[in-house]
Amino acid sequence: MEAELLQKLIDLAIASRQWAYAPYSHYEVGAVVLTDSGKIYDGANIENAAYPTSICAERVAIFKAVSEGERCY
């Protein structure tokens, strides 16, 4: 992976933390997924008072990609 692309992914992951919903831990996480098609999907963690139902930023990014039609065969 080229350094420029890697830096872009890092910057986008950091920026996506702004969308985090972390009222309990106050630990905001951002993540990005680069797909085979070249599209980038971001995600942020979402907490719930019932801890096990919280969702991590990585899962959000992957779910967004899949819900937009991305597939890995």
Side-chain angles (χ1 to χ4, degrees), residues 32-57:
V32 294
V33 171
L34 173 63
T35 65
D36 286 341
S37 69
K39 292 184 181 177
I40 298 171
Y41 296 88
D42 64 349
N45 60 319
I46 303 169
E47 292 183 348
N48 189 304
Y51 180 74
T53 60
S54 296
I55 185 168
C56 67

Side-chain angles (χ1 to χ4, degrees), residues 9-35:
L9 294 173
I10 292 168
D11 292 342
L12 289 170
I14 291 169
S16 69
R17 292 187 303 187
Q18 69 179 315
W19 306 114
Y21 179 72
Y24 307 103
S25 71
H26 305 288
Y27 191 77
E28 299 170 345
V29 180
V32 294
V33 171
L34 173 63
T35 65

